[in-house]
Amino acid sequence: MRSAHSIALILICLYLVPALFAQKNKPEPLTEAQIEQIREAGIVPNERVSLYTKFLNEDADTIKSLTNRSKSLARTKRLDEELQNLTALMDEFGSNLDQYSDRHADIRKALKPLTESTDRWLGILRALAGEPGFDEARKEAIESGEDLADQAKRLLAEQTEYFKLHKDEEGQQRAEPK
């Protein structure tokens, strides 16, 4: 009797382990083609910031196009997924901006379009009426968008001030020790 319980317990564990690992793996917010474009941009901060902005614009446009469709379970599920991807991408982008800020990379050229785009994304998200199937994802996306907008505006102001004082470092991709 005891061995039957042990076997049943082992089988249950083997059944649950893949499910646990699947929950930990969040979907990648970028497609393989987008990841390749980011890699090709390499260590050129302005190009990478412009690419992230472009990809977020595309995601926001997808969300906007879904808002005009008639309400259905499939639409609700798709909106939830798209909102989660948008949030994950905005969070990843924020981490990249932190690194560029720490390096004193001159990304002012790419930050200006970013600050304009964040206002547009937030407008799309706020105009989207909340529904039970995706309301939590919508709220998280708005919060991430506000954080990214604040970060971009703050970083643009900091960089403008920094490069006024350090004119010899304008256009650099990272601060080099002197």
Side-chain angles (χ1 to χ4, degrees), residues 110-124:
L111 284 174
K112 289 176 185 173
L114 171 61
T115 56
E116 294 165 3
S117 292
T118 55
D119 291 338
R120 190 176 81 77
W121 305 332
L122 287 169
I124 291 169

Side-chain angles (χ1 to χ4, degrees), residues 36-61:
E36 187 57 34
Q37 287 180 8
I38 295 285
R39 282 187 191 129
E40 287 176 10
I43 60 167
V44 183
N46 273 308
E47 286 183 38
R48 289 178 70 113
V49 170
S50 294
L51 283 171
Y52 273 102
T53 303
K54 174 186 165 193
F55 300 150
L56 283 163
N57 275 322
E58 291 168 359
D59 287 356
D61 289 341

Side-chain angles (χ1 to χ4, degrees), residues 11 17 31 47 111 133 152 155 163 174:
L11 289 175
V17 167
T31 65
E47 286 183 38
L111 284 174
L155 188 53
F163 289 110
R174 72 179 319 147

Side-chain angles (χ1 to χ4, degrees), residues 32-169:
E32 285 299 320
Q34 291 171 330
I35 292 170
E36 187 57 34
Q37 287 180 8
I38 295 285
R39 282 187 191 129
E40 287 176 10
I43 60 167
V44 183
N46 273 308
E47 286 183 38
R48 289 178 70 113
V49 170
S50 294
L51 283 171
Y52 273 102
T53 303
K54 174 186 165 193
F55 300 150
L56 283 163
N57 275 322
E58 291 168 359
D59 287 356
D61 289 341
T62 299
I63 290 168
K64 185 175 182 178
S65 73
L66 289 169
T67 61
N68 299 328
R69 294 187 183 173
S70 60
K71 293 182 180 181
S72 69
L73 186 59
R75 173 187 169 268
T76 300
K77 185 177 187 288
R78 176 89 189 276
L79 271 168
D80 186 59
E81 291 170 357
E82 292 294 336
L83 288 164
Q84 288 181 36
N85 282 341
L86 182 75
T87 301
L89 188 53
M90 285 191 285
D91 291 344
E92 182 178 318
F93 190 16
S95 296
N96 276 268
L97 290 177
D98 287 339
Q99 290 178 357
Y100 297 141
S101 174
D102 293 344
R103 294 185 202 165
H104 291 290
D106 188 356
I107 56 174
R108 291 174 293 169
K109 180 179 171 185
L111 284 174
K112 289 176 185 173
L114 171 61
T115 56
E116 294 165 3
S117 292
T118 55
D119 291 338
R120 190 176 81 77
W121 305 332
L122 287 169
I124 291 169
L125 294 172
R126 289 182 179 129
L128 178 62
E131 295 176 27
F134 61 80
D135 197 47
E136 187 64 32
R138 179 183 157 275
K139 288 176 184 174
E140 289 175 3
I142 290 171
E143 186 178 306
S144 271
E146 289 170 344
D147 290 346
L148 185 60
D150 292 344
Q151 182 182 16
K153 288 173 186 167
R154 177 186 46 76
L155 188 53
L156 182 58
E158 286 174 4
Q159 287 214 331
T160 300
E161 189 62 33
Y162 179 84
F163 289 110
K164 277 183 187 175
L165 298 172
H166 302 92
K167 292 188 185 293
D168 59 320
E169 296 178 16

